[in-house]
Amino acid sequence: MRYSVLLGKVQGVDFSVKEADTSLLLARAGFLRHTEDASVSLLPLGTRVLRRMESILESVLDKRGAQPIELPQLVRSQSLFTSGRYEIFDGDVLYFRNEKGEEFFQTGHYEENVIDFLKTFAVAENEFPICVYFYSNKIRPLWDQTGTALAAREYRALNIFSAHRNMIELNDFLPMLSAAFCRILNGWGIQVIYTESELHHSFGEKAFALAADMDGKGSDRFFFCSKCGYMARSHMAKSAHSSHVEELKPAQKIRIPKSCNTYEKLAEYLGVPDYAIIKCALFRTEKSFVMTVCRGDYIVSKEKLGHLSGGTYLRAATPTEAALFFPKGGFLSPIGLDSDDRVHVIVDESVVHGSNFVLGLNEEDFVLQNANFGVDFEGNETADISVVKEGDLCIQCGEPLQLRKESEVLRLVKTGDEYSKRMGFYATVRKKRQPVCLGSYTVDLMRLFFITADKARDRYGFGWPHGLEPFLVYLFNDGRTAEARELTELIYQSLPDEILLDDRVLSAMEKLQTARLTGIPYAVIVDDALLKKRRVRLWSRRTGRKREYAIDLLLKKFKNGNRTF
């Protein structure tokens, strides 16, 4: 490519000041542009790096028998009904209708489309495992610590799905794929942390992640134990909750003013800390209602709750739904729900290990003081359903947990056979018909691009890992003769896909500074003084040195596809 027609040129030639922000330096070097809505558009240089990343990842998949496919990005509403995920996305995502009136949703989840696709093949028992992959643009919500989506960003993703005869084979495949990607990322200078992750609207037994070690400057929240190494995403992390145990006191019903209509105001009125308050909430699941009973200083984890309730659909109950069980209003409470099998009460472990709480009574103007679990109220189940706080004790070794911000680049989900059962994806194994087990794996390519760029930074710009450079050679003519111009064109035409020809009217030093900043490993400089010897100057970014190189040998290496000189 000729620099004169390249979209996105280097902004300025004074590179003495380093940009603190990698994204800004990428923009300055001509890899991307920031748009007015704070999103990012990749320019040709950035796109070339991203395509090389994809090519390397594809080679890893191809060696393991994975097959590339293209699937529709929209999911049929009928498929979502069949899988049980229609209500999750209805009203919250874009949807379209075709000329027949059929609805299609843009969910960013493709389990239904993959199963519909694979069901069209008569797969024999010896053809397993099946692994397919495809690319898509997705929307990633940005969550606060309560699990509420604050914003979203668009990103390019590599979606991988595997189908297996049973969970044993899936459990063997997942670590093999994870290890292969770890080797690639380590080769790009990215230290990887293997951790438990979140399912995010997916049926599944468990989710894991490969997170890039960003020295605490990443985008995702994890809790980490420095002693035993336990680590998990914030909404899936488990801990031994701190307890506030006192001698049990007799419960008493007390009146409160109508102005105490929030838990915060209630705690302030009674003069008690937030951990002495019990917060109850009602949720709607796929099949029933769930009430959570949690201590006031904790937040309910929707990820943990969804996993416990056995489905992906989970939302807060509407006022109309809540009125079916609590017609008198007031602060919610599990008291009186013992005989109602429509509501499943889950009590958080923070409540089980405490005492003398303030609890609602399902009626206005009254609460119960000194309420204790097992004495004044019960639940159908006790479990860890709250979001861990920094300083809570590690469930494995008892050390305090630390908040750590790293960046997840690959999510691996043991989807299991739930989708297959619901959507009728079966295979005959040993003469027995059984549901197929699925695995789902997603690589956030845009995040991986930025992380790789951040790790590749040096004092001059971006020292891209081998194989990811936007171009192999940076070529320019530093001579004045027609012969020098003809030789420059000859070299360029010998390998036009891997050579960036700088045809600007600038000094050789300024052009080499551009090569350094963009991370192109070699520069070939055509010089009048060396033409008689049939030689050029070859500059190496790694060493910063120039040496003479025979033109014929250079052209021969280009022809043979050699990437080192």
Side-chain angles (χ1 to χ4, degrees):
M1 181 174 288
R2 300 178 190 274
Y3 205 97
S4 58
V5 298
L6 179 69
L7 290 176
K9 298 174 176 60
V10 169
Q11 298 173 14
V13 292
D14 180 13
F15 307 129
S16 58
V17 180
K18 290 180 64 177
E19 292 284 3
D21 188 284
T22 298
S23 181
L24 294 178
L25 187 60
L26 284 167
R28 186 177 177 186
F31 286 91
L32 55 84
R33 283 289 181 271
H34 294 99
T35 60
E36 292 182 0
D37 61 354
S39 59
V40 168
S41 297
L42 287 187
L43 296 172
L45 288 180
T47 302
R48 289 179 68 91
V49 174
L50 184 65
R51 293 292 181 267
R52 292 186 191 277
M53 292 176 114
E54 292 174 355
S55 177
I56 292 172
L57 295 176
E58 286 177 18
S59 68
V60 172
L61 294 171
D62 293 343
K63 288 178 182 178
R64 283 149 185 83
Q67 304 176 61
I69 61 173
E70 287 292 335
L71 283 184
Q73 302 295 294
L74 302 179
V75 183
R76 293 188 308 129
S77 61
Q78 185 56 50
S79 296
L80 291 172
F81 271 120
T82 305
S83 71
R85 296 206 294 177
Y86 180 83
E87 289 190 86
I88 299 175
F89 303 113
D90 185 27
D92 291 332
V93 297
L94 288 174
Y95 76 94
F96 308 88
R97 287 192 178 95
N98 63 11
E99 62 277 6
K100 298 180 181 179
E102 298 171 319
E103 285 184 337
F104 294 83
F105 287 74
Q106 189 178 38
T107 66
H109 294 259
Y110 306 108
E111 286 83 357
E112 290 84 1
N113 282 358
V114 169
I115 289 179
D116 284 339
F117 172 76
L118 294 178
K119 280 167 57 179
T120 62
F121 299 92
V123 182
E125 179 180 352
N126 61 357
E127 294 181 31
F128 286 96
I130 302 169
C131 188
V132 296
Y133 64 90
F134 56 94
Y135 295 94
S136 68
N137 282 358
K138 287 189 172 187
I139 303 296
R140 177 189 290 274
L142 304 177
W143 311 93
D144 66 8
Q145 62 176 352
T146 69
T148 303
L150 299 176
R153 70 173 181 87
E154 184 179 359
Y155 69 100
R156 181 170 171 80
L158 170 59
N159 308 283
I160 310 161
F161 289 87
S162 62
H164 306 267
R165 294 177 294 187
N166 51 55
M167 284 299 297
I168 296 175
E169 294 181 0
L170 173 57
N171 288 336
D172 290 339
F173 183 85
L174 187 144
M176 178 191 71
L177 184 66
S178 173
F181 277 103
C182 276
R183 286 192 291 272
I184 293 296
L185 298 182
N186 289 340
W188 293 346
I190 302 173
Q191 295 301 311
V192 176
I193 307 164
Y194 190 76
T195 176
E196 186 177 354
S197 189
E198 300 157 352
L199 291 170
H200 287 325
H201 299 320
S202 296
F203 293 114
E205 293 194 356
K206 213 163 190 180
F208 301 93
L210 295 184
D213 188 344
M214 301 299 293
D215 298 323
K217 299 180 294 183
S219 306
D220 300 316
R221 292 163 54 91
F222 296 84
F223 281 100
F224 171 72
C225 177
S226 58
K227 182 177 180 180
C228 69
Y230 170 77
M231 185 170 176
R233 283 292 292 264
S234 59
H235 282 251
M236 287 302 293
K238 298 177 181 179
S239 70
H241 295 291
S242 58
S243 59
H244 301 276
V245 181
E246 304 171 347
E247 183 179 347
L248 298 189
K249 300 176 182 179
Q252 58 184 103
K253 183 177 180 179
I254 60 173
R255 181 183 288 275
I256 58 173
K258 291 187 181 295
S259 60
C260 289
N261 52 8
T262 67
Y263 287 109
E264 291 76 14
K265 291 180 180 178
L266 177 62
E268 183 180 357
Y269 173 75
L270 296 176
V272 297
D274 52 1
Y275 63 75
I277 300 287
I278 287 181
K279 295 190 297 187
C280 297
L282 188 67
F283 292 89
R284 182 77 168 89
T285 67
E286 185 180 1
K287 300 177 181 178
S288 62
F289 290 89
V290 170
M291 170 177 276
T292 59
V293 182
C294 189
R295 213 168 72 187
D297 56 336
Y298 283 100
I299 300 167
V300 172
S301 166
K302 294 180 181 178
E303 281 288 331
K304 293 180 181 178
L305 187 58
H307 193 264
L308 275 175
S309 61
T312 61
Y313 179 59
L314 181 74
R315 62 166 173 80
T318 64
T320 303
E321 291 170 335
L324 295 174
F325 309 100
F326 313 105
K328 296 183 180 180
F331 288 104
L332 300 187
S333 169
I335 295 175
L337 291 179
D338 308 34
S339 58
D340 197 332
D341 58 5
R342 293 175 299 170
V343 180
H344 187 78
V345 179
I346 303 179
V347 182
D348 185 57
E349 291 175 356
S350 62
V351 173
V352 175
H353 301 300
S355 60
N356 301 328
F357 293 103
V358 177
L359 177 66
L361 280 172
N362 299 324
E363 57 179 300
E364 290 186 348
D365 305 333
F366 290 96
V367 294
L368 189 66
Q369 196 166 32
N370 298 326
N372 290 284
F373 175 71
V375 178
D376 305 295
F377 65 95
E378 297 283 352
N380 301 104
E381 183 179 359
T382 62
D384 177 7
I385 57 171
S386 56
V387 178
V388 170
K389 296 188 303 180
E390 192 168 13
D392 281 353
L393 302 182
C394 175
I395 198 169
Q396 294 183 357
C397 69
E399 284 292 306
L401 292 173
Q402 304 167 16
L403 179 63
R404 183 169 170 174
K405 298 188 74 174
E406 310 297 352
S407 294
E408 182 178 295
V409 292
L410 171 63
R411 175 172 295 144
L412 308 102
V413 180
K414 290 184 181 181
T415 310
D417 60 6
E418 186 63 30
Y419 287 103
S420 298
K421 288 177 181 177
R422 293 172 178 238
M423 300 187 68
F425 184 29
Y426 286 80
T428 301
V429 179
R430 296 178 182 175
K431 299 182 180 180
K432 183 180 179 181
R433 193 165 172 77
Q434 60 188 46
V436 174
C437 292
L438 292 180
S440 171
Y441 324 95
T442 305
V443 182
D444 187 334
L445 292 167
M446 286 300 294
R447 177 174 284 185
L448 185 56
F449 169 82
F450 280 106
I451 291 172
T452 304
D454 187 73
K455 300 296 184 182
R457 286 187 60 172
D458 57 25
R459 59 184 295 192
Y460 301 113
F462 298 98
W464 296 103
H466 179 67
L468 295 186
E469 309 94 342
F471 288 93
L472 176 62
V473 173
Y474 192 91
L475 172 67
F476 62 90
N477 174 22
D478 197 33
R480 297 177 180 276
T481 63
E483 187 179 357
R485 291 192 294 271
E486 290 174 2
L487 178 59
T488 302
E489 187 66 25
L490 174 66
I491 295 173
Y492 172 66
Q493 293 297 336
S494 67
L495 197 66
D497 292 339
E498 291 285 1
I499 293 178
L500 179 61
L501 172 58
D502 193 340
D503 50 359
R504 297 175 298 172
V505 182
L506 292 174
S507 69
M509 181 59 69
E510 290 171 326
K511 292 180 179 181
L512 284 180
Q513 285 177 329
T514 300
R516 283 194 181 98
L517 179 62
T518 53
I520 299 176
Y522 299 104
V524 173
I525 308 162
V526 177
D527 189 337
D528 287 335
L530 297 177
L531 284 179
K532 294 180 180 179
K533 297 192 292 183
R534 293 287 296 173
R535 290 178 176 271
V536 292
R537 297 192 191 278
L538 181 67
W539 169 86
S540 169
R541 186 186 189 280
R542 185 176 61 84
T543 63
R545 297 175 181 174
K546 298 177 185 176
R547 57 192 172 100
E548 296 181 10
Y549 210 85
I551 295 172
D552 294 336
L553 180 58
L554 180 73
L555 296 176
K556 183 179 179 180
K557 286 201 171 190
F558 283 170
K559 184 178 180 180
N560 295 335
N562 199 320
R563 298 185 62 87
T564 56
F565 302 93

